[in-house]
Amino acid sequence: MPAHRIAVIAGDGIGNEVMPEGLRVVEAAARRFNIDLQFTTMAWANCDYYLEHGQMMPSDWFAQLKDFDAIYFGAVGWPDKVPDHISLWGSLLKFRREFDEYVNLRPVRLMPGVPCPLANKKPGDIDFYVVRENTEGEYSSVGGRMFEGTERETVLQESVFTRKGVDRILKYAFELAQSRPKKHLTSATKSNGIAISMPFWDERVEAMGPSFPDVRWDKYHIDILAARFVLSPERFDVVVASNLFGDILSDLGPACTGTIAIAPSANINPERTFPSVFEPVHGSAPDIYGQNIANPIGMIWSGAMMLDFLGNGDARYTAAHDAIVRAIEQVLEHGPRTPDMGGSASTTEVGMAVAELLK
Ligand code: NAD
Ligand code: IPM
Ligand code: MN
């Protein structure tokens, strides 16, 4: 294959600390498995760029990025400098929308060596995917604000659920479930309370079910589903959810497996018309930035997902992905560990330890 072109956007805060470790490990894996990668660093999509230019990205960001094969992304947001809705809608959420990355794939896995906050769980017990709809739903820009500053102040924000948008995320989730041994899909709903969009979501699940006769599926209202994540996470295999429900479940899931700092994610445009974005689930963590103590595992694992995606089924890339995940498991089990996991190692030490195992 020709070199894969990857745009690198570190963003804000610890995005800048974990990105070098992600790159270190992805480059080590690429060397070992003879994969040709070409990285281009973008110095924008961060809050300092905004303070200087009045926007998060240059006006031609779409043209600059659209021909890359992937975007490796750290985290954006520094609420003391720029309000979060401005920094995020000016960068990450634009990518998801404009590059039609309608799948947000977020593995939830209890890894060896990571203390589980739930009683009596061991690695292997928790191993599922959250498949989050990533371009519509509750994350809409339809709405408005009226009578601002008066007692009549009224704020409306619509949710948008299109048949195409719902069907394509459900299809991805059914297919993923079909490819896994348990072949089990859970749909997150709330059709008892959100009585227009969620019954529609349920209808579309019902309509698709018969096309996947080997997939067992069920549905739970989001409130009890959240409780079940905590009480019986071992029963999940693939969980499909709207944008907001998926956002919440994909922090809750990793929290149930010990720490959100190791959780990876892939914002995928399955048609490959546009680049997909690979980023950790966590944010820019202003509270720990500047100390080189952020856990780089979420960034590194996202890099493994990126290689797997770039290979599109090629065995060498799958092997590179698997080798990174195995190296992560070894480091989680035997150290070094960053302070969030009870250790005292630096971001760099953890990144180097993972990279060392890929030599
Ligand atoms: P956060 O994920 O940045 O931090 C939550 C908590 O987890 C903090 O205590 C932090 O120190 C800890 N944490 C997160 N990542 C860690 C890591 N790798 N190692 C060790 N500890 C880690 O969430 P937040 O505080 O709600 O948000 C901070 C900023 O990040 C906000 O601007 C928010 O909008 C943004 N954010 C961005 C993304 C993204 O770019 N994808 C995701 C979530 C939040
Ligand atoms: C995530 C983040 C983003 C989201 C924020 C930062 C807009 O929480 O990637 O999960 O809500 O999608
Ligand atoms: Mn989130």
Side-chain angles (χ1 to χ4, degrees):
M1 283 193 206
H4 302 285
R5 297 184 59 227
I6 299 169
V8 175
I9 297 180
D12 292 300
I14 64 164
N16 295 284
E17 297 175 333
V18 293
M19 179 61 82
E21 304 318 313
L23 289 171
R24 187 197 301 282
V25 172
V26 169
E27 283 178 325
R31 265 195 303 279
R32 169 148 156 218
F33 292 92
N34 199 20
I35 294 170
D36 199 0
L37 304 176
Q38 195 190 316
F39 295 99
T40 306
T41 301
M42 304 300 178
W44 33 264
N46 59 65
C47 290
D48 288 333
Y49 184 93
Y50 182 93
L51 293 181
E52 203 175 316
H53 301 270
Q55 51 193 37
M56 289 295 286
M57 304 198 284
S59 304
D60 65 346
W61 67 271
F62 186 90
Q64 284 200 50
L65 290 176
K66 75 175 174 31
D67 296 322
F68 281 91
D69 298 307
I71 299 169
Y72 199 30
F73 186 88
V76 160
W78 199 273
D80 289 350
K81 291 183 193 167
V82 183
D84 272 350
H85 64 278
I86 291 178
S87 58
L88 271 311
W89 275 94
S91 58
L92 178 61
L93 298 175
K94 265 197 161 76
F95 298 156
R96 290 178 180 168
R97 284 254 182 134
E98 308 281 321
F99 291 143
D100 212 15
E101 297 160 355
Y102 60 86
V103 176
N104 195 329
L105 183 64
R106 299 187 150 178
V108 177
R109 201 173 303 159
L110 180 56
M111 300 290 256
V114 183
C116 183
L118 311 180
N120 307 320
K121 301 282 183 272
K122 53 181 192 319
D125 288 351
I126 309 179
D127 183 7
F128 63 89
Y129 281 96
V130 172
V131 174
R132 166 184 179 190
E133 200 292 317
N134 214 29
T135 52
E136 53 175 50
E138 305 86 348
Y139 283 52
S140 92
S141 25
V142 183
R145 207 159 157 159
M146 289 168 287
F147 314 123
E148 214 168 320
T150 72
E151 275 186 14
R152 296 166 68 203
E153 187 154 13
T154 305
V155 182
L156 290 176
Q157 170 128 25
E158 302 291 346
S159 291
V160 177
F161 287 83
T162 63
R163 182 183 282 220
K164 181 179 171 191
V166 174
D167 282 0
R168 65 187 184 173
I169 194 67
L170 295 178
K171 179 164 174 281
Y172 186 95
F174 267 108
E175 284 173 355
L176 178 62
Q178 196 169 43
S179 75
R180 288 171 56 86
K182 281 200 211 162
K183 300 192 193 312
H184 177 213
L185 178 70
T186 300
S187 169
T189 184
K190 188 62 196 170
S191 47
N192 53 357
I194 303 180
I196 301 172
S197 57
M198 282 295 128
F200 173 68
W201 176 277
D202 290 355
E203 260 169 56
R204 300 316 301 161
V205 181
E206 292 272 0
M208 197 166 294
S211 307
F212 296 88
D214 49 344
V215 175
R216 258 180 327 118
W217 67 268
D218 49 23
K219 62 179 179 196
Y220 290 101
H221 295 305
I222 186 68
D223 43 2
I224 191 61
L225 183 57
R228 281 176 185 264
F229 263 39
V230 175
L231 297 173
S232 48
E234 57 280 342
R235 66 177 308 284
F236 296 108
D237 187 19
V238 177
V239 180
V240 65
S242 65
N243 208 334
L244 178 62
F245 292 169
D247 178 47
I248 297 165
L249 293 176
S250 59
D251 265 24
L252 179 59
C256 293
T257 64
T259 166
I260 63 155
I262 69 169
S265 79
N267 302 263
I268 302 172
N269 170 244
E271 291 74 24
R272 296 171 191 256
T273 315
F274 297 114
S276 294
V277 170
F278 299 83
E279 47 144 6
V281 167
H282 67 73
S284 59
D287 55 336
I288 59 163
Y289 174 59
Q291 306 170 58
N292 197 31
I293 55 165
N295 190 335
I297 303 277
M299 187 82 238
I300 293 170
W301 192 349
S302 304
M305 293 181 83
M306 179 168 75
L307 287 174
D308 196 31
F309 175 81
L310 290 172
N312 200 6
D314 183 307
R316 238 167 351 114
Y317 293 71
T318 313
H321 165 274
D322 294 352
I324 295 178
V325 173
R326 270 197 309 276
I328 290 173
E329 286 173 346
Q330 283 199 37
V331 167
L332 288 173
E333 194 163 8
H334 305 292
R337 297 192 181 95
T338 41
D340 57 301
M341 294 191 45
S344 59
S346 68
T347 308
T348 319
E349 281 164 338
V350 172
M352 286 174 72
V354 179
E356 190 60 36
L357 292 168
L358 290 160
K359 283 202 173 131

